[in-house]
C-alpha cells in the first residue's frame, strides 16, 4: 500500500529569510509566479509543461485560489489542490502531488508558498482576527471561540508550553536538552547565509537565559517570524531523468490529525507524529536509523523534541537523553535541520514548513555548500500544524 | 465590530443552541456535562453528536467540576493583548473524574510551585452582562 516512490522532487526556489523585510512588497499572486518560475528554471522544466498545482492561500482571493493561480500563470491543470494543514501544509502538499503523479493524473506539479509582504491596499481590508488569535478561530460557533479563547488559551505559545509541561512532568525535567536543540541548530544557521540568525550564535545558556514567555518555554525556543517564500517542483521519474539535478524520490509519506486544541488531544504527550512517521518509514521500507538526516518541523524546541521521540529515533520518554548524546548540527552524528531549522532560519509564515523540504532536497542533491553532509541519500522530513495536532511526514531518497 | 486590536473586547463565550445549557448552568453555579446515553461516556465540550460514537442521544448530567491539573502554562506575556491584565496567567487543562478535559485558568496558584496533578475546585467567574466562566482554584 502507498507510493511506489516514482515521483520526484526535481527543483526548488527559496528566498532568504528577512526581518525587517528588504524585498519590495508584491502581490502574493506575483510572488507565486516568481517562485514557480525560479523553481522550474532550477529543475530545467518549461512553464508549458506544468499540468498540476498545489497551493495554500493568496491575499487576493478568499476562495477559488487554484483556478486564480492557474489562470494567472497561464496553466491548464489536471490537479488543483489547496491544502489547509497549518505548518504541516508543505509536507502535505508534496505527498498529494506525488500521489497524483503516480496515479498518472499529471506529470509536472508546482507548489509555491509566498510569504513576502504584500503592498498596502488602497481600500481598507476587513479586519483579520488572526492578527489577535493566530491559529485559533474566534468566529461564533467555533469550539475555540467558546471554550478555549475566553480562558486565554490562544494558539500557539501556551499550547506548546502545555505539551512541554506535561512531557517533563511524565518523563523528567532537563531544560538543557530542549535548549541544546536550539543551540545545535544555530550552528547550522550560522553556516547558512539565508538564515535570519546567520550571524548570531546562541549557546544553551543564552537560550535558558532568554525571557520566559510561556513556562517552560523561553524566547529563544520560539521561532522568529520573518518574510520569505519557497516553491518546489515535482514530476514523474521519466521526466525527472531529463532535469538538471539529482532527482529526489518521494519514497514514503504519512499523515495523521487528531485534534485542534491540546485540551482535547486523545493521548497527550503522545503525538500524532508516531502514526505519520510509521506510515512514512514503512512505505519507504526504511527504519529511522537508516536515514542520513532529519529535517523536522521546529516551531518550538519542544516540537522537535517530541518529533524526534515519536518518530522512533529513541524510545518514548528518552528524547532528552538522545539529544544530549548526539550532535544535531550539520557537523554532528544526527544532522537535524541542517539549514538551522525554523528556530535558526526563521519562520516565513507557511513557507517555514517548506524550508525543511527544500533543505532535504538541497542536501540530497549535494547543493548545500559549506554545510553539505557527507552521507546524503535519504532524508526524513516532517510538518506540524496546529499544536502537535496536524502531522505529516516524508521519506525522501536520492536517485541512484 | 472594532478593527483596532488595542480596543478589541475581552472574548467571552457566545452560546449556541447546542451549548446553551452548559453556560446557563454555570450562571447558577452548577457544572453540567453532556453524557452519551448510547456509549455511556461523558463529552466535553458540548456538541451536537457524541465524539466517541456519533450518537445524538446526549443528555445533561450535573457534576462537581472538581478535578486535577493535567497540564498548564504560565503566560508571562499575554497570549493576546486582551489578556494583558491577567498576566501572569495560569492557563490549564483540568481533568475531571468523569473522563473529560476542559480548558480553565487556575486563579490563585503560585506559578512557580504549581505542578501537574494538583487538585482544583470550581470558581464561577460572573461578570455583569457576560457569560459566566468556569475557572478553578487549588483545593
Ligand atoms: Zn457516544
Amino acid at each position: 500500500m502507498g507510493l511506489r516512490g516514482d515521483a520526484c522532487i526535481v527543483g526548488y526556489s527559496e528566498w532568504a529569510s528577512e526581518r525587517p523585510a528588504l524585498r519590495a512588497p508584491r502581490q502574493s499572486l506575483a510572488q507565486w509566479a516568481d517562485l514557480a518560475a525560479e523553481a522550474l528554471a532550477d529543475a530545467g522544466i518549461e512553464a508549458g509543461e506544468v499540468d498540476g498545482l498545489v497551493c495554500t492561500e493568496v491575499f487576493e482571493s478568499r476562495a477559488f485560489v487554484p483556478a486564480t493561480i492557474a489562470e494567472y500563470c497561464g496553466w491548464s491543470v489536471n490537479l488543483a489542490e489547496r491544502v489547509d494543514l497549518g505548518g504541516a501544509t508543505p509536507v502535505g502538499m508534496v505527498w498529494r502531488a506525488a500521489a497524483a503523479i503516480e496515479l498518472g493524473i499529471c506529470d509536472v506539479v508546482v507548489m509555491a508558498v509566498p510569504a513576502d509582504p504584500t503592498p498596502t491596499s488602497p481600500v481598507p481590508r476587513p479586519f483579520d482576527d488572526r492578527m489577535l488569535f493566530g491559529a485559533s478561530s474566534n468566529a461564533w460557533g467555533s469550539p475555540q471561540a467558546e471554550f478555549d479563547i475566553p480562558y486565554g488559551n490562544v494558539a500557539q505559545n501556551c499550547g506548546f508550553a502545555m505539551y512541554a509541561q506535561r512531557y517533563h512532568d511524565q518523563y523528567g525535567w532537563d531544560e538543557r536538552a530542549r535548549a541544546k536543540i536550539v543551540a545545535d541548530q544555530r550552528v547550522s544557521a550560522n553556516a547558512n547565509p539565508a538564515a535570519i540568525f546567520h550571524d548570531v550564535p546562541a549557546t544553551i545558556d543564552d537560550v535558558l537565559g532568554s525571557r520566559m514567555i510561556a513556562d517552560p518555554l523561553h524566547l529563544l525556543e520560539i521561532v522568529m517570524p520573518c518574510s520569505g517564500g519557497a516553491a518546489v517542483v515535482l514530476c514523474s521519474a521519466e521526466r525527472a531523468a531529463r532535469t538538471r539535478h539529482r532527482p529526489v524520490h518521494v519514497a514514503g509519506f504519512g499523515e495523521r490529525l487528531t485534534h485542534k486544541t491540546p485540551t482535547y488531544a486523545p493521548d497527550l504527550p503522545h503525538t500524532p507524529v508516531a502514526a505519520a512517521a510509521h506510515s512514512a518509514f514503512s512505505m519507504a521500507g526504511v527504519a529511522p536509523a537508516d536515514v542520513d538526516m532529519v529535517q523536522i518541523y521546529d516551531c518550538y524546541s519542544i516540537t522537535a523534541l517530541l518529533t524526534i521521540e515519536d518518530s522512533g529515533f529513541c524510545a518514548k520518554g528518552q528524547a532528552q537523553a538522545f539529544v544530549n548524546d548526539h550532535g544535531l548540527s550539520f557537523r554532528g552524528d544526527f544532522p537535524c535541520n541542517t539549514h538551522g531549522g525554523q528556530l535558526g532560519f526563521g519562520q516565513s509564515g507557511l513557507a517555514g514548513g517548506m524550508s525543511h523540504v527544500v533543505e532535504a532536497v538541497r542536501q540530497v542533491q549535494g547543493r548545500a555548500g559549506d554545510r553539505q553532509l557527507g552521507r546524503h541519500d535519504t532524508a526524513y522530513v516532517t510538518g506540524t500544524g496546529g499544536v502537535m495536532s496536524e502531522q505529516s511526514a516524508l521519506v525522501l531518497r536520492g536517485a541512484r | 465590530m472594532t478593527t483596532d486590536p488595542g480596543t478589541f473586547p475581552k472574548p467571552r463565550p457566545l452560546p449556541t443552541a447546542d451549548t446553551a445549557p452548559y453556560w446557563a448552568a454555570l450562571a447558577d453555579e452548577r457544572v453540567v456535562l453532556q453524557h452519551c446515553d448510547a456509549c455511556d461516556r461523558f463529552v466535553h465540550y458540548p456538541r451536537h453528536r457524541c465524539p466517541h460514537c456519533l450518537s445524538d442521544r446526549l443528555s445533561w448530567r450535573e457534576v462537581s467540576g472538581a478535578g486535577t491539573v493535567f497540564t498548564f502554562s504560565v503566560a508571562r506575556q499575554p497570549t493576546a493583548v486582551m489578556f494583558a491584565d491577567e498576566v501572569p496567567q495560569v492557563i490549564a487543562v483540568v481533568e475531571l473524574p468523569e473522563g473529560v478535559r476542559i480548558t480553565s485558568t487556575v486563579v490563585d496558584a503560585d506559578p512557580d510551585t504549581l505542578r501537574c496533578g494538583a487538585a482544583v475546585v470550581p470558581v464561577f467567574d460572573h461578570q455583569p452582562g457576560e457569560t459566566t466562566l468556569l475557572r478553578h482554584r487549588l483545593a
Side-chain angles (χ1 to χ4, degrees):
Chain A
M1 190 202 77
L3 298 175
R4 295 184 301 270
D6 292 344
C8 299
I9 304 175
V10 291
Y12 61 81
S13 55
E14 184 173 73
W15 294 337
S17 298
E18 290 182 346
R19 183 188 175 95
L22 302 173
R23 291 178 294 268
R26 288 101 66 218
Q27 306 294 345
S28 46
L29 284 167
Q31 295 181 37
W32 222 104
D34 279 346
L35 287 165
E38 291 173 27
L40 287 164
D42 183 60
I45 295 179
E46 297 296 324
E49 296 180 67
V50 173
D51 57 2
L53 73 85
V54 188
C55 62
T56 57
E57 58 181 22
V58 293
F59 264 109
E60 297 83 11
S61 298
R62 190 180 295 263
F64 304 97
V65 178
T68 303
I69 292 170
E71 177 189 278
Y72 191 92
C73 291
W75 296 326
S76 301
V77 296
N78 309 325
L79 172 74
E81 270 281 286
R82 177 181 183 176
V83 180
D84 175 19
L85 294 173
T89 296
V91 168
M93 294 164 95
V94 168
W95 79 251
R96 283 164 174 78
I101 290 167
E102 287 205 1
L103 284 169
I105 295 169
C106 46
D107 201 39
V108 175
V109 181
V110 178
M111 57 193 66
V113 187
D116 260 356
T118 53
T120 303
S121 171
V123 292
R125 282 177 167 149
F127 178 68
D128 182 351
D129 69 8
R130 286 181 297 184
M131 301 276 288
L132 287 169
F133 302 109
S136 298
S137 168
N138 197 45
W140 178 62
S142 148
Q144 299 123 56
E146 197 169 349
F147 295 96
D148 302 303
I149 290 175
Y151 299 93
N153 187 351
V154 179
Q156 309 282 333
N157 291 347
C158 100
F160 280 95
M162 290 198 285
Y163 261 90
Q165 186 80 37
R166 183 69 194 187
Y167 179 85
H168 289 303
D169 183 74
Q170 276 184 234
Y171 299 113
W173 282 90
D174 183 356
E175 304 238 42
R176 296 186 69 81
R178 271 195 348 259
K180 182 172 181 291
I181 294 172
V182 182
D184 281 9
Q185 291 187 179
R186 187 64 66 90
V187 171
S188 297
N190 293 160
N192 181 359
I196 200 87
F197 290 126
H198 64 92
D199 57 355
V200 186
T203 65
I204 291 174
D205 289 331
D206 291 337
V207 175
L208 296 180
S210 66
R211 190 160 53 91
M212 189 69 86
I213 301 295
D215 299 29
L217 300 178
H218 304 78
L219 180 66
L220 292 185
E221 299 181 73
I222 303 172
V223 282
M224 174 71 78
C226 64
S227 54
V232 298
V233 178
L234 277 84
C235 68
S236 62
E238 297 73 41
R239 182 63 186 87
R242 294 175 287 113
T243 56
R244 292 179 55 228
H245 303 286
R246 183 190 192 189
V248 180
H249 291 264
V250 182
F253 76 87
E255 192 162 281
R256 180 84 121 199
L257 286 74
T258 52
H259 59 278
K260 172 68 182 78
T261 304
T263 305
Y264 318 108
D267 204 18
L268 191 164
H270 293 257
T271 74
V273 171
H278 178 76
S279 168
F281 284 123
S282 57
M283 197 182 292
V286 301
D290 298 332
V291 303
D292 299 323
M293 71 195 85
V294 304
Q295 312 290 356
I296 56 173
Y297 202 88
D298 64 329
C299 45
Y300 297 83
S301 57
I302 186 65
T303 316
L305 190 85
L306 291 167
T307 299
I308 288 170
E309 180 168 300
D310 284 351
S311 298
F313 293 98
C314 61
K316 189 68 193 172
Q318 297 301 308
Q320 298 178 99
F322 182 90
V323 166
N324 288 330
D325 289 347
H326 294 277
L328 276 60
S329 82
F330 70 95
R331 296 194 192 95
D333 60 332
F334 184 75
C336 172
N337 290 330
T338 49
H339 62 316
Q342 293 184 68
L343 288 164
F345 181 75
Q347 180 173 65
S348 50
L350 288 176
M354 193 62 97
S355 76
H356 304 275
V357 175
V358 168
E359 178 68 6
V361 173
R362 184 187 283 122
Q363 287 282 357
V364 171
Q365 292 184 333
R367 303 164 67 191
D370 291 346
R371 61 182 193 281
Q372 179 63 48
L373 301 173
R375 292 181 53 225
H376 54 91
D377 292 322
T378 308
Y380 173 69
V381 185
T382 66
T384 297
V387 182
M388 301 310 297
S389 46
E390 304 165 304
Q391 290 298 155
S392 294
L394 297 172
V395 173
L396 303 178
R397 187 188 288 134
R400 289 192 185 82
Chain B
M1 181 57 72
T2 178
T3 56
D4 176 4
T7 59
F8 202 91
K10 189 172 284 197
R12 300 290 283 207
L14 296 172
T16 68
D18 290 319
T19 66
Y22 175 83
W23 299 111
L26 291 185
D28 295 340
E29 307 214 338
R30 293 183 302 114
V31 179
V32 297
L33 294 177
Q34 275 182 325
H35 178 266
C36 176
D37 299 328
C39 73
D40 193 28
R41 294 177 73 174
F42 281 91
V43 172
H44 185 81
Y45 44 86
R47 63 197 86 177
H48 194 61
R49 283 181 179 267
C50 170
H52 307 295
C53 72
L54 224 56
S55 167
D56 61 356
R57 292 170 51 204
L58 295 165
S59 58
W60 294 95
R61 292 199 184 171
E62 187 164 341
V63 301
S64 76
T68 55
V69 173
F70 179 76
T71 188
F72 67 97
S73 178
V74 185
R76 308 280 175 177
Q77 168 176 301
T79 57
V81 290
M82 301 78 68
F83 301 104
D85 62 324
E86 296 181 42
V87 168
Q89 188 186 30
V90 181
I91 302 166
V93 176
V94 171
E95 188 163 57
L96 303 185
E98 290 79 16
V100 301
R101 292 180 191 153
I102 67 178
T103 297
S104 186
T105 58
V106 185
V107 294
D108 66 340
D110 173 356
D112 297 320
T113 59
L114 184 64
R115 292 291 176 267
C116 296
V120 291
V121 294
V123 172
F124 299 93
D125 176 7
H126 305 286
Q127 300 290 336
E130 301 277 10
T131 310
T132 300
L133 291 182
L134 172 62
R135 301 184 189 274
H136 285 83
R137 61 177 171 78
L138 294 172

